[in-house]
Amino acid sequence: MFACAGCGTELTAPVSRVALPVHAYYGAWEQLHPPLMEPATYAVEPRPSGPPWRLWDEVGEELAAEQGVYLPQYCVSFGSRGAVVIAPGDSRGMALIPEKCAGHCMGIDGRDGPNLACEGCGRAVATRMDDCGLWQTVWLEPAAVRRVPSGLPAVPVPGWDELVLESYAVPPVELDGSWSRRWAAAVPVALAHLVVACEGRPVALPGPLAELVGATAGCLPAGPPVLTSGLAGPGTPVPRSGADVLLVPRHPVTGEPWRPAYGGAPSVVPLDIGVWAHLVLPGETSPLPASGTLPEGVLRDDYPLPLRPRHAFWPHHRAFGNTLACLPGIRRPELRTYYDRYART
């Protein structure tokens, strides 16, 4: 659990650490969102986050790089490193600070800094965020809280072969025909890593991903592909045909990318495990018996029909550029040229 560093008041329910979701900062505008974190879990943001913010022009390239930002952005965070995020339902012993509860239109956006105070001593300890376009979260201030044993048995970290992939798969389309907000963020984040891994050279996406997201609104370098990428991971071997780069899942607890057991494998690019699992698992089949097989590309008319998006895939407008700017490799000359070209389009 986490407790107030000042008076020891318990501020959370028992929680176990998991990887910080890649979509943590990327929601859909003018929409209310569910909690970012699953119940009884927490994640840590290793980079500076939240206010105070400083404009790029007054920060400069060297100081921005110390904050983990390597290319020009509108502003740079000089907030604390190591902020802890939990689901609002796991918070305990905290009360809102009314004068710090500003927001855009539907809730609180955290613009004024910590807005939750410890009920024991009144110390500002966390920030509640739930405005439109934001995942519902409570961010604990790292200097204001401390970890304490919950008394419950530790939750072991599952190995890759212990993960039940079906439980992690996230469909790309919501019930209303819109694209999943998680997909809209996770795909451009992975593509930013892919651009750096390929050093800005054109690359072909794996078939299942290319069929779903198409050209991804011009995120990838233009031109005929000179490199290939493939899907690999637990239960999905490295393609025999060979691939220059592998799109692999991020471990849901550690956040580390899956890697082949043998050396000399292609470069790996991390992909949200929810997206990855949906791409590699077999598609749904009808529960009704049928004789013969359907022609390739023909769907059954069982009800309900498979969900299909009502429009072409459009990545989150900030996820790709923000991720690129925070990857150290983007400073290489050939990638800086690509980024400058991308930023102008």
Side-chain angles (χ1 to χ4, degrees), residues 276-302:
W276 183 90
H278 177 86
L279 292 172
V280 302
L281 290 175
E284 294 185 9
T285 58
S286 171
L288 302 177
S291 60
T293 58
L294 290 172
E296 183 69 24
V298 175
L299 299 176
R300 292 188 60 91
D301 60 357
D302 301 321

Side-chain angles (χ1 to χ4, degrees), residues 36 45 53 66 72 97 105 149 158 170 186 221 264 274 308 344:
L36 172 71
E45 171 57 271
W53 299 87
E66 293 178 8
I97 305 172
C105 61
V170 175
R308 291 289 181 267
R344 290 196 300 269

Side-chain angles (χ1 to χ4, degrees), residues 54-61 72-76:
R54 295 175 59 185
L55 297 177
W56 174 271
D57 291 341
E58 67 181 54
V59 171
E61 190 169 337
Q73 300 286 283
Y74 177 72
C75 57
V76 178

Side-chain angles (χ1 to χ4, degrees), residues 14-144:
V15 287
S16 298
R17 184 169 179 174
V18 297
L20 180 68
V22 298
H23 55 283
Y25 303 111
Y26 309 119
W29 191 246
E30 298 294 344
Q31 293 182 18
L32 293 176
H33 290 52
L36 172 71
M37 304 300 296
E38 293 293 326
T41 67
Y42 77 95
V44 177
E45 171 57 271
R47 300 178 301 176
S49 61
W53 299 87
R54 295 175 59 185
L55 297 177
W56 174 271
D57 291 341
E58 67 181 54
V59 171
E61 190 169 337
E62 291 187 9
L63 186 55
E66 293 178 8
Q67 300 299 107
V69 181
Y70 304 102
L71 289 176
Q73 300 286 283
Y74 177 72
C75 57
V76 178
S77 170
F78 280 77
S80 302
R81 297 177 185 266
V84 174
V85 61
I86 62 172
D90 284 327
S91 62
R92 304 285 188 273
M94 292 183 277
L96 285 168
I97 305 172
E99 62 270 21
K100 290 195 172 184
C101 291
H104 182 72
C105 61
M106 298 182 182
I108 309 169
D109 63 11
R111 69 181 66 182
D112 298 319
N115 55 31
L116 288 171
C118 169
E119 291 182 338
C121 64
R123 181 178 186 173
V125 291
T127 304
R128 169 72 184 257
M129 301 175 71
D130 56 14
D131 204 354
C132 66
L134 302 176
W135 300 90
Q136 294 185 41
T137 55
V138 168
W139 290 89
L140 304 175
E141 290 291 308

